[in-house]
Short mmCIF file of all heavy atoms in Angstrom, two decimals:
data_model
loop_
_atom_site.label_atom_id
_atom_site.label_comp_id
_atom_site.label_asym_id
_atom_site.label_seq_id
_atom_site.Cartn_x
_atom_site.Cartn_y
_atom_site.Cartn_z
N MET A 1 139.47 58.11 101.58
CA MET A 1 138.19 57.59 101.10
C MET A 1 137.93 58.05 99.67
O MET A 1 137.45 57.29 98.87
CB MET A 1 137.08 58.04 102.03
CG MET A 1 135.71 57.60 101.58
SD MET A 1 135.38 55.84 101.67
CE MET A 1 135.03 55.67 103.39
N SER A 2 138.24 59.30 99.33
CA SER A 2 137.93 59.76 97.98
C SER A 2 138.70 58.98 96.93
O SER A 2 138.22 58.78 95.83
CB SER A 2 138.18 61.26 97.85
OG SER A 2 139.55 61.54 98.08
N LYS A 3 139.89 58.50 97.26
CA LYS A 3 140.65 57.66 96.32
C LYS A 3 139.90 56.36 96.05
O LYS A 3 139.82 55.90 94.92
CB LYS A 3 142.03 57.37 96.89
CG LYS A 3 142.92 56.61 95.95
CD LYS A 3 144.30 56.43 96.56
CE LYS A 3 145.21 55.67 95.62
NZ LYS A 3 146.54 55.49 96.19
N ALA A 4 139.30 55.78 97.08
CA ALA A 4 138.53 54.55 96.92
C ALA A 4 137.31 54.80 96.04
O ALA A 4 136.97 53.97 95.20
CB ALA A 4 138.10 54.01 98.28
N VAL A 5 136.67 55.92 96.21
CA VAL A 5 135.48 56.24 95.42
C VAL A 5 135.86 56.40 93.96
O VAL A 5 135.17 55.93 93.07
CB VAL A 5 134.77 57.49 95.97
CG1 VAL A 5 133.64 57.92 95.06
CG2 VAL A 5 134.23 57.21 97.37
N ARG A 6 136.97 57.03 93.70
CA ARG A 6 137.41 57.20 92.31
C ARG A 6 137.76 55.87 91.66
O ARG A 6 137.74 55.76 90.45
CB ARG A 6 138.60 58.16 92.25
CG ARG A 6 138.21 59.61 92.46
CD ARG A 6 139.37 60.53 92.12
NE ARG A 6 140.53 60.32 92.97
CZ ARG A 6 140.78 60.97 94.10
NH1 ARG A 6 139.94 61.89 94.51
NH2 ARG A 6 141.86 60.73 94.80
N SER A 7 138.05 54.86 92.48
CA SER A 7 138.42 53.57 91.90
C SER A 7 137.23 52.63 91.76
O SER A 7 137.39 51.43 91.67
CB SER A 7 139.53 52.93 92.73
OG SER A 7 139.07 52.63 94.03
N GLY A 8 136.02 53.15 91.75
CA GLY A 8 134.86 52.33 91.43
C GLY A 8 133.93 51.98 92.56
O GLY A 8 132.96 51.28 92.35
N ILE A 9 134.19 52.45 93.75
CA ILE A 9 133.28 52.18 94.87
C ILE A 9 132.16 53.21 94.83
O ILE A 9 132.38 54.40 94.67
CB ILE A 9 134.02 52.24 96.21
CG1 ILE A 9 135.03 51.10 96.29
CG2 ILE A 9 133.06 52.18 97.37
CD1 ILE A 9 135.92 51.14 97.50
N SER A 10 130.94 52.72 94.99
CA SER A 10 129.77 53.60 95.01
C SER A 10 129.28 53.73 96.45
O SER A 10 129.17 52.73 97.17
CB SER A 10 128.68 52.98 94.15
OG SER A 10 127.51 53.74 94.23
N LEU A 11 128.99 54.94 96.88
CA LEU A 11 128.53 55.20 98.23
C LEU A 11 127.13 55.79 98.23
O LEU A 11 126.78 56.58 97.35
CB LEU A 11 129.47 56.19 98.95
CG LEU A 11 130.92 55.78 99.08
CD1 LEU A 11 131.74 56.93 99.65
CD2 LEU A 11 131.05 54.55 99.95
N SER A 12 126.34 55.42 99.22
CA SER A 12 125.02 56.01 99.44
C SER A 12 124.94 56.43 100.90
O SER A 12 125.59 55.82 101.75
CB SER A 12 123.91 54.99 99.17
OG SER A 12 123.93 54.57 97.83
N GLY A 13 124.15 57.42 101.18
CA GLY A 13 123.97 57.85 102.57
C GLY A 13 122.55 58.28 102.81
O GLY A 13 121.88 58.82 101.92
N ILE A 14 122.07 58.02 104.03
CA ILE A 14 120.72 58.45 104.40
C ILE A 14 120.74 59.06 105.80
O ILE A 14 121.63 58.80 106.60
CB ILE A 14 119.70 57.29 104.40
CG1 ILE A 14 120.01 56.28 105.49
CG2 ILE A 14 119.61 56.64 103.04
CD1 ILE A 14 118.82 55.49 105.96
N ASP A 15 119.75 59.85 106.06
CA ASP A 15 119.45 60.35 107.40
C ASP A 15 117.98 60.70 107.41
O ASP A 15 117.41 61.06 106.38
CB ASP A 15 120.29 61.57 107.76
CG ASP A 15 120.35 61.78 109.27
OD1 ASP A 15 119.32 62.12 109.89
OD2 ASP A 15 121.44 61.58 109.83
N VAL A 16 117.36 60.59 108.56
CA VAL A 16 115.94 60.91 108.68
C VAL A 16 115.72 62.42 108.81
O VAL A 16 114.65 62.92 108.49
CB VAL A 16 115.30 60.13 109.86
CG1 VAL A 16 115.76 60.68 111.19
CG2 VAL A 16 113.79 60.10 109.75
N ALA A 17 116.75 63.16 109.22
CA ALA A 17 116.62 64.59 109.48
C ALA A 17 117.09 65.43 108.29
O ALA A 17 118.25 65.31 107.88
CB ALA A 17 117.42 64.97 110.72
N PRO A 18 116.23 66.28 107.75
CA PRO A 18 116.62 67.12 106.61
C PRO A 18 117.83 68.00 106.90
O PRO A 18 118.66 68.21 106.01
CB PRO A 18 115.37 67.98 106.35
CG PRO A 18 114.24 67.25 106.98
CD PRO A 18 114.83 66.49 108.14
N ASP A 19 117.96 68.51 108.12
CA ASP A 19 119.10 69.37 108.43
C ASP A 19 120.42 68.59 108.40
O ASP A 19 121.46 69.12 108.04
CB ASP A 19 118.91 70.09 109.76
CG ASP A 19 118.69 69.16 110.94
OD1 ASP A 19 117.99 68.14 110.79
OD2 ASP A 19 119.21 69.46 112.04
N MET A 20 120.37 67.32 108.75
CA MET A 20 121.57 66.50 108.68
C MET A 20 121.94 66.18 107.23
O MET A 20 123.11 66.08 106.89
CB MET A 20 121.41 65.23 109.49
CG MET A 20 121.28 65.48 110.99
SD MET A 20 122.66 66.45 111.67
CE MET A 20 123.98 65.27 111.58
N ILE A 21 120.94 66.04 106.37
CA ILE A 21 121.19 65.84 104.95
C ILE A 21 121.89 67.07 104.38
O ILE A 21 122.88 66.96 103.65
CB ILE A 21 119.88 65.55 104.17
CG1 ILE A 21 119.26 64.24 104.63
CG2 ILE A 21 120.11 65.56 102.66
CD1 ILE A 21 120.09 63.01 104.35
N ALA A 22 121.41 68.24 104.74
CA ALA A 22 122.03 69.49 104.27
C ALA A 22 123.47 69.60 104.75
O ALA A 22 124.37 69.98 103.98
CB ALA A 22 121.21 70.69 104.74
N ARG A 23 123.72 69.24 106.00
CA ARG A 23 125.07 69.28 106.54
C ARG A 23 125.97 68.28 105.81
O ARG A 23 127.11 68.59 105.47
CB ARG A 23 125.06 68.97 108.03
CG ARG A 23 126.45 69.02 108.65
CD ARG A 23 126.43 68.62 110.09
NE ARG A 23 125.86 69.67 110.90
CZ ARG A 23 125.78 69.62 112.22
NH1 ARG A 23 126.18 68.55 112.87
NH2 ARG A 23 125.26 70.62 112.90
N ALA A 24 125.45 67.10 105.57
CA ALA A 24 126.23 66.07 104.86
C ALA A 24 126.57 66.53 103.45
O ALA A 24 127.71 66.36 102.99
CB ALA A 24 125.46 64.75 104.82
N GLN A 25 125.60 67.12 102.75
CA GLN A 25 125.85 67.60 101.39
C GLN A 25 126.97 68.64 101.38
O GLN A 25 127.85 68.61 100.51
CB GLN A 25 124.57 68.18 100.79
CG GLN A 25 123.57 67.11 100.42
CD GLN A 25 122.23 67.68 100.00
OE1 GLN A 25 121.80 68.71 100.50
NE2 GLN A 25 121.55 66.97 99.11
N LYS A 26 126.95 69.53 102.35
CA LYS A 26 127.97 70.57 102.44
C LYS A 26 129.35 69.95 102.69
O LYS A 26 130.33 70.29 102.02
CB LYS A 26 127.61 71.54 103.57
CG LYS A 26 128.52 72.72 103.69
CD LYS A 26 128.02 73.67 104.78
CE LYS A 26 128.93 74.86 104.92
NZ LYS A 26 128.46 75.77 105.98
N ASN A 27 129.43 69.02 103.63
CA ASN A 27 130.71 68.38 103.94
C ASN A 27 131.20 67.51 102.79
O ASN A 27 132.41 67.47 102.51
CB ASN A 27 130.59 67.56 105.22
CG ASN A 27 130.45 68.42 106.45
OD1 ASN A 27 130.89 69.56 106.48
ND2 ASN A 27 129.82 67.89 107.47
N LEU A 28 130.30 66.80 102.14
CA LEU A 28 130.70 65.96 101.01
C LEU A 28 131.21 66.80 99.84
O LEU A 28 132.16 66.42 99.17
CB LEU A 28 129.53 65.07 100.57
CG LEU A 28 129.21 63.92 101.52
CD1 LEU A 28 127.82 63.36 101.23
CD2 LEU A 28 130.27 62.84 101.43
N GLN A 29 130.58 67.93 99.63
CA GLN A 29 131.01 68.83 98.56
C GLN A 29 132.44 69.30 98.81
O GLN A 29 133.26 69.32 97.90
CB GLN A 29 130.06 70.02 98.49
CG GLN A 29 129.89 70.61 97.14
CD GLN A 29 128.74 71.62 97.13
OE1 GLN A 29 128.48 72.30 98.13
NE2 GLN A 29 128.05 71.70 96.03
N LYS A 30 132.73 69.64 100.06
CA LYS A 30 134.08 70.08 100.42
C LYS A 30 135.10 68.97 100.22
O LYS A 30 136.23 69.23 99.85
CB LYS A 30 134.12 70.53 101.89
CG LYS A 30 133.47 71.84 102.16
CD LYS A 30 133.59 72.17 103.65
CE LYS A 30 132.81 73.39 104.04
NZ LYS A 30 132.88 73.65 105.49
N SER A 31 134.70 67.73 100.47
CA SER A 31 135.63 66.60 100.40
C SER A 31 135.88 66.13 98.97
O SER A 31 136.82 65.40 98.72
CB SER A 31 135.10 65.43 101.22
OG SER A 31 134.02 64.80 100.56
N GLY A 32 135.00 66.51 98.06
CA GLY A 32 135.14 66.07 96.68
C GLY A 32 134.53 64.71 96.40
O GLY A 32 134.66 64.19 95.31
N LEU A 33 133.85 64.14 97.40
CA LEU A 33 133.21 62.84 97.20
C LEU A 33 131.90 63.02 96.45
O LEU A 33 131.16 63.96 96.69
CB LEU A 33 132.93 62.16 98.54
CG LEU A 33 134.15 61.72 99.32
CD1 LEU A 33 133.73 61.19 100.69
CD2 LEU A 33 134.92 60.65 98.57
N ASN A 34 131.62 62.11 95.56
CA ASN A 34 130.39 62.15 94.78
C ASN A 34 129.34 61.25 95.43
O ASN A 34 129.15 60.11 95.02
CB ASN A 34 130.66 61.72 93.33
CG ASN A 34 129.45 61.88 92.47
OD1 ASN A 34 128.53 62.63 92.79
ND2 ASN A 34 129.41 61.17 91.37
N VAL A 35 128.71 61.76 96.47
CA VAL A 35 127.67 61.03 97.19
C VAL A 35 126.49 61.98 97.35
O VAL A 35 126.66 63.12 97.74
CB VAL A 35 128.15 60.60 98.60
CG1 VAL A 35 127.07 59.84 99.33
CG2 VAL A 35 129.41 59.79 98.52
N ALA A 36 125.30 61.50 97.02
CA ALA A 36 124.10 62.30 97.21
C ALA A 36 123.29 61.69 98.35
O ALA A 36 122.54 60.74 98.13
CB ALA A 36 123.29 62.34 95.93
N PRO A 37 123.44 62.21 99.56
CA PRO A 37 122.67 61.66 100.66
C PRO A 37 121.19 61.94 100.48
O PRO A 37 120.80 62.95 99.88
CB PRO A 37 123.22 62.38 101.89
CG PRO A 37 123.85 63.61 101.37
CD PRO A 37 124.27 63.33 99.96
N SER A 38 120.36 61.04 100.96
CA SER A 38 118.92 61.23 100.83
C SER A 38 118.24 61.03 102.18
O SER A 38 118.76 60.38 103.07
CB SER A 38 118.35 60.26 99.79
OG SER A 38 118.66 58.93 100.13
N GLN A 39 117.07 61.61 102.28
CA GLN A 39 116.30 61.48 103.50
C GLN A 39 115.55 60.16 103.48
O GLN A 39 114.84 59.84 102.52
CB GLN A 39 115.31 62.64 103.64
CG GLN A 39 114.60 62.64 104.97
CD GLN A 39 113.68 63.83 105.14
OE1 GLN A 39 113.60 64.69 104.27
NE2 GLN A 39 113.01 63.90 106.26
N ALA A 40 115.73 59.36 104.52
CA ALA A 40 115.06 58.07 104.62
C ALA A 40 115.06 57.61 106.07
O ALA A 40 115.86 58.07 106.88
CB ALA A 40 115.74 57.03 103.74
N ASP A 41 114.18 56.70 106.36
CA ASP A 41 114.04 56.11 107.69
C ASP A 41 114.72 54.75 107.67
O ASP A 41 114.40 53.90 106.82
CB ASP A 41 112.56 55.97 108.02
CG ASP A 41 112.28 55.42 109.40
OD1 ASP A 41 113.18 54.81 110.01
OD2 ASP A 41 111.15 55.58 109.87
N ILE A 42 115.63 54.51 108.59
CA ILE A 42 116.36 53.25 108.61
C ILE A 42 115.47 52.04 108.87
O ILE A 42 115.84 50.92 108.55
CB ILE A 42 117.53 53.29 109.63
CG1 ILE A 42 118.49 52.12 109.40
CG2 ILE A 42 116.99 53.33 111.05
CD1 ILE A 42 119.77 52.20 110.17
N THR A 43 114.29 52.27 109.39
CA THR A 43 113.37 51.14 109.62
C THR A 43 112.54 50.81 108.39
O THR A 43 111.77 49.85 108.40
CB THR A 43 112.44 51.40 110.82
OG1 THR A 43 111.60 52.52 110.54
CG2 THR A 43 113.23 51.65 112.10
N ALA A 44 112.70 51.60 107.32
CA ALA A 44 112.01 51.34 106.05
C ALA A 44 112.88 51.87 104.92
O ALA A 44 112.56 52.87 104.27
CB ALA A 44 110.64 52.01 106.05
N LEU A 45 113.99 51.21 104.67
CA LEU A 45 114.96 51.69 103.69
C LEU A 45 114.42 51.60 102.26
O LEU A 45 113.82 50.59 101.90
CB LEU A 45 116.26 50.89 103.81
CG LEU A 45 117.02 51.09 105.11
CD1 LEU A 45 118.17 50.09 105.22
CD2 LEU A 45 117.54 52.51 105.21
N PRO A 46 114.66 52.64 101.45
CA PRO A 46 114.15 52.67 100.07
C PRO A 46 115.09 52.00 99.07
O PRO A 46 115.33 52.53 97.99
CB PRO A 46 114.04 54.18 99.81
CG PRO A 46 115.19 54.75 100.58
CD PRO A 46 115.27 53.91 101.84
N PHE A 47 115.63 50.86 99.46
CA PHE A 47 116.58 50.16 98.60
C PHE A 47 116.12 48.72 98.40
O PHE A 47 115.46 48.14 99.26
CB PHE A 47 117.98 50.16 99.22
CG PHE A 47 118.51 51.53 99.51
CD1 PHE A 47 118.65 51.98 100.82
CD2 PHE A 47 118.86 52.40 98.49
CE1 PHE A 47 119.14 53.24 101.10
CE2 PHE A 47 119.35 53.66 98.76
CZ PHE A 47 119.49 54.09 100.06
N GLN A 48 116.52 48.15 97.28
CA GLN A 48 116.15 46.76 96.99
C GLN A 48 116.94 45.79 97.87
O GLN A 48 117.98 46.15 98.42
CB GLN A 48 116.39 46.45 95.51
CG GLN A 48 117.86 46.45 95.13
CD GLN A 48 118.06 46.32 93.63
OE1 GLN A 48 117.26 46.78 92.84
NE2 GLN A 48 119.15 45.69 93.24
N ASN A 49 116.46 44.59 97.98
CA ASN A 49 117.13 43.55 98.75
C ASN A 49 118.54 43.30 98.23
O ASN A 49 118.77 43.33 97.01
CB ASN A 49 116.35 42.23 98.67
CG ASN A 49 114.99 42.32 99.32
OD1 ASN A 49 114.65 43.28 100.00
ND2 ASN A 49 114.19 41.29 99.12
N GLU A 50 119.46 43.06 99.15
CA GLU A 50 120.83 42.67 98.83
C GLU A 50 121.55 43.62 97.89
O GLU A 50 122.38 43.20 97.08
CB GLU A 50 120.86 41.24 98.28
CG GLU A 50 120.27 40.23 99.24
CD GLU A 50 120.21 38.83 98.67
OE1 GLU A 50 120.58 38.60 97.50
OE2 GLU A 50 119.77 37.94 99.42
N LEU A 51 121.28 44.90 97.99
CA LEU A 51 121.90 45.89 97.12
C LEU A 51 123.34 46.23 97.53
O LEU A 51 124.19 46.45 96.68
CB LEU A 51 121.06 47.17 97.10
CG LEU A 51 121.57 48.32 96.24
CD1 LEU A 51 121.58 47.91 94.77
CD2 LEU A 51 120.72 49.56 96.45
N PHE A 52 123.61 46.24 98.83
CA PHE A 52 124.89 46.73 99.34
C PHE A 52 125.79 45.60 99.82
O PHE A 52 125.33 44.60 100.35
CB PHE A 52 124.66 47.70 100.50
CG PHE A 52 123.86 48.91 100.10
CD1 PHE A 52 122.53 49.03 100.46
CD2 PHE A 52 124.43 49.93 99.37
CE1 PHE A 52 121.78 50.14 100.10
CE2 PHE A 52 123.70 51.05 99.00
CZ PHE A 52 122.36 51.15 99.35
N ASP A 53 127.09 45.82 99.67
CA ASP A 53 128.08 44.89 100.21
C ASP A 53 128.31 45.18 101.70
O ASP A 53 128.56 44.26 102.48
CB ASP A 53 129.42 45.03 99.47
CG ASP A 53 129.32 44.57 98.03
OD1 ASP A 53 128.63 43.56 97.78
OD2 ASP A 53 129.92 45.23 97.17
N ILE A 54 128.26 46.45 102.06
CA ILE A 54 128.50 46.87 103.44
C ILE A 54 127.46 47.93 103.80
O ILE A 54 127.18 48.83 103.02
CB ILE A 54 129.90 47.49 103.60
CG1 ILE A 54 130.98 46.46 103.27
CG2 ILE A 54 130.10 48.04 105.01
CD1 ILE A 54 132.37 47.04 103.18
N VAL A 55 126.92 47.81 105.01
CA VAL A 55 126.02 48.83 105.55
C VAL A 55 126.56 49.24 106.91
O VAL A 55 126.85 48.40 107.75
CB VAL A 55 124.57 48.29 105.71
CG1 VAL A 55 123.69 49.34 106.35
CG2 VAL A 55 124.01 47.86 104.37
N MET A 56 126.73 50.54 107.09
CA MET A 56 127.20 51.08 108.37
C MET A 56 126.15 52.01 108.93
O MET A 56 125.55 52.79 108.18
CB MET A 56 128.51 51.84 108.16
CG MET A 56 129.65 50.98 107.67
SD MET A 56 131.14 51.92 107.27
CE MET A 56 131.43 52.83 108.76
N ALA A 57 125.95 51.93 110.23
CA ALA A 57 125.02 52.83 110.90
C ALA A 57 125.69 53.31 112.19
O ALA A 57 125.98 52.51 113.07
CB ALA A 57 123.71 52.11 111.22
N GLY A 58 125.92 54.59 112.25
CA GLY A 58 126.58 55.15 113.43
C GLY A 58 125.64 56.04 114.22
O GLY A 58 124.95 56.88 113.65
N HIS A 59 125.62 55.85 115.52
CA HIS A 59 124.83 56.70 116.43
C HIS A 59 123.35 56.68 116.05
O HIS A 59 122.71 57.73 115.98
CB HIS A 59 125.38 58.12 116.47
CG HIS A 59 126.83 58.20 116.77
ND1 HIS A 59 127.34 57.96 118.02
CD2 HIS A 59 127.90 58.43 115.97
CE1 HIS A 59 128.65 58.07 117.99
NE2 HIS A 59 129.02 58.35 116.75
N VAL A 60 122.83 55.49 115.77
CA VAL A 60 121.45 55.37 115.32
C VAL A 60 120.63 54.49 116.26
O VAL A 60 119.60 54.91 116.78
CB VAL A 60 121.37 54.77 113.89
CG1 VAL A 60 119.94 54.56 113.46
CG2 VAL A 60 122.10 55.65 112.90
N LEU A 61 121.07 53.27 116.43
CA LEU A 61 120.27 52.27 117.14
C LEU A 61 119.86 52.69 118.53
O LEU A 61 118.73 52.42 118.96
CB LEU A 61 121.01 50.93 117.19
CG LEU A 61 121.30 50.29 115.84
CD1 LEU A 61 122.10 49.02 116.02
CD2 LEU A 61 120.04 50.03 115.06
N GLU A 62 120.72 53.38 119.24
CA GLU A 62 120.40 53.79 120.61
C GLU A 62 119.29 54.83 120.68
O GLU A 62 118.73 55.08 121.74
CB GLU A 62 121.65 54.27 121.34
CG GLU A 62 122.26 55.55 120.79
CD GLU A 62 123.30 55.35 119.71
OE1 GLU A 62 123.30 54.31 119.02
OE2 GLU A 62 124.12 56.28 119.53
N HIS A 63 118.94 55.42 119.55
CA HIS A 63 117.89 56.44 119.51
C HIS A 63 116.54 55.90 119.04
O HIS A 63 115.56 56.65 119.00
CB HIS A 63 118.31 57.58 118.59
CG HIS A 63 119.57 58.26 119.03
ND1 HIS A 63 119.62 59.10 120.11
CD2 HIS A 63 120.83 58.18 118.54
CE1 HIS A 63 120.86 59.53 120.27
NE2 HIS A 63 121.61 58.99 119.33
N LEU A 64 116.49 54.64 118.69
CA LEU A 64 115.26 54.06 118.13
C LEU A 64 114.45 53.32 119.18
O LEU A 64 115.01 52.61 120.01
CB LEU A 64 115.61 53.09 117.00
CG LEU A 64 116.38 53.68 115.82
CD1 LEU A 64 116.77 52.58 114.87
CD2 LEU A 64 115.57 54.75 115.13
N PRO A 65 113.12 53.46 119.13
CA PRO A 65 112.28 52.71 120.07
C PRO A 65 112.31 51.21 119.81
O PRO A 65 112.16 50.42 120.74
CB PRO A 65 110.88 53.28 119.86
CG PRO A 65 110.91 53.96 118.54
CD PRO A 65 112.33 54.35 118.28
N GLN A 66 112.51 50.82 118.54
CA GLN A 66 112.59 49.40 118.18
C GLN A 66 113.80 49.19 117.26
O GLN A 66 113.65 49.07 116.04
CB GLN A 66 111.32 48.94 117.48
CG GLN A 66 110.10 48.92 118.38
CD GLN A 66 108.89 48.41 117.64
OE1 GLN A 66 108.40 49.08 116.73
NE2 GLN A 66 108.44 47.22 118.00
N PRO A 67 114.99 49.11 117.83
CA PRO A 67 116.19 48.96 117.00
C PRO A 67 116.18 47.69 116.16
O PRO A 67 116.82 47.64 115.11
CB PRO A 67 117.34 48.95 118.01
CG PRO A 67 116.74 48.86 119.35
CD PRO A 67 115.30 49.19 119.25
N SER A 68 115.44 46.69 116.56
CA SER A 68 115.39 45.44 115.78
C SER A 68 114.82 45.68 114.39
O SER A 68 115.21 45.01 113.43
CB SER A 68 114.58 44.37 116.52
OG SER A 68 113.25 44.80 116.71
N LEU A 69 113.91 46.65 114.24
CA LEU A 69 113.37 46.96 112.92
C LEU A 69 114.46 47.49 111.99
O LEU A 69 114.51 47.14 110.80
CB LEU A 69 112.23 47.98 113.02
CG LEU A 69 110.99 47.54 113.78
CD1 LEU A 69 109.99 48.69 113.87
CD2 LEU A 69 110.36 46.33 113.11
N ALA A 70 115.33 48.33 112.52
CA ALA A 70 116.43 48.86 111.73
C ALA A 70 117.41 47.76 111.36
O ALA A 70 117.87 47.69 110.23
CB ALA A 70 117.15 49.97 112.50
N LEU A 71 117.69 46.88 112.31
CA LEU A 71 118.61 45.79 112.02
C LEU A 71 118.06 44.85 110.96
O LEU A 71 118.81 44.37 110.09
CB LEU A 71 118.93 45.03 113.30
CG LEU A 71 119.76 45.81 114.33
CD1 LEU A 71 119.86 45.04 115.63
CD2 LEU A 71 121.13 46.15 113.77
N GLU A 72 116.77 44.60 110.98
CA GLU A 72 116.15 43.78 109.95
C GLU A 72 116.31 44.42 108.57
O GLU A 72 116.57 43.72 107.58
CB GLU A 72 114.66 43.57 110.25
CG GLU A 72 114.42 42.63 111.42
CD GLU A 72 112.95 42.56 111.82
OE1 GLU A 72 112.08 43.11 111.11
OE2 GLU A 72 112.68 41.95 112.87
N GLU A 73 116.16 45.73 108.49
CA GLU A 73 116.32 46.43 107.22
C GLU A 73 117.77 46.39 106.74
O GLU A 73 118.04 46.20 105.56
CB GLU A 73 115.85 47.88 107.33
CG GLU A 73 114.37 48.06 107.21
CD GLU A 73 113.89 47.70 105.81
OE1 GLU A 73 113.88 48.56 104.92
OE2 GLU A 73 113.53 46.52 105.60
N VAL A 74 118.71 46.56 107.66
CA VAL A 74 120.11 46.49 107.31
C VAL A 74 120.46 45.12 106.75
O VAL A 74 121.14 44.99 105.73
CB VAL A 74 120.99 46.83 108.54
CG1 VAL A 74 122.45 46.46 108.29
CG2 VAL A 74 120.88 48.32 108.88
N VAL A 75 119.96 44.08 107.38
CA VAL A 75 120.19 42.72 106.88
C VAL A 75 119.55 42.54 105.52
O VAL A 75 120.14 41.94 104.61
CB VAL A 75 119.66 41.67 107.89
CG1 VAL A 75 119.64 40.29 107.29
CG2 VAL A 75 120.50 41.70 109.16
N ARG A 76 118.35 43.07 105.33
CA ARG A 76 117.65 42.92 104.06
C ARG A 76 118.41 43.53 102.89
O ARG A 76 118.49 42.94 101.82
CB ARG A 76 116.25 43.57 104.16
CG ARG A 76 115.43 43.44 102.88
CD ARG A 76 114.12 44.18 102.97
NE ARG A 76 114.25 45.62 103.06
CZ ARG A 76 114.54 46.45 102.04
NH1 ARG A 76 114.73 45.96 100.82
NH2 ARG A 76 114.62 47.75 102.22
N VAL A 77 118.97 44.72 103.09
CA VAL A 77 119.62 45.41 101.97
C VAL A 77 121.09 45.02 101.78
O VAL A 77 121.70 45.39 100.80
CB VAL A 77 119.49 46.95 102.08
CG1 VAL A 77 118.04 47.36 102.09
CG2 VAL A 77 120.25 47.49 103.27
N SER A 78 121.62 44.24 102.72
CA SER A 78 123.04 43.85 102.59
C SER A 78 123.16 42.37 102.26
O SER A 78 122.21 41.62 102.23
CB SER A 78 123.81 44.18 103.84
OG SER A 78 123.27 43.56 104.99
#
């Protein structure tokens, strides 16, 4: 993955939990990837419409009371 990032791919990451952001920052630092994860709610993403080519969400939807809200946001930003 780090080779892809060096060749011009830009990555963003979010999590709603501050402790997970801290863990991600630590792991990303070790990997050498230049990604600054930020705290955000997937049901109200702080990104403009159609910003991303790909959006991935792992282990998220099953924890949400209304997963359709998250899916709407994913569609909006991709």
Side-chain angles (χ1 to χ4, degrees):
M1 178 69 80
S2 62
K3 185 177 180 179
V5 173
R6 285 191 298 268
S7 64
I9 293 174
S10 175
L11 301 173
S12 298
I14 67 155
D15 200 292
V16 72
D19 58 321
M20 294 306 289
I21 295 296
R23 181 184 286 183
Q25 287 172 327
K26 185 176 180 181
N27 290 333
L28 287 163
Q29 210 169 32
K30 287 180 187 177
S31 74
L33 292 174
N34 185 21
V35 181
S38 57
Q39 187 177 358
D41 182 341
I42 194 170
T43 64
L45 293 171
F47 303 110
Q48 67 187 33
N49 295 350
E50 302 177 358
L51 180 64
F52 299 105
D53 293 321
I54 298 170
V55 176
M56 296 174 54
H59 307 287
V60 176
L61 298 177
E62 66 270 24
H63 300 287
L64 301 174
Q66 292 182 292
S68 61
L69 296 177
L71 292 172
E72 288 173 9
E73 279 294 272
V74 167
V75 169
R76 181 185 66 77
V77 300
S78 58

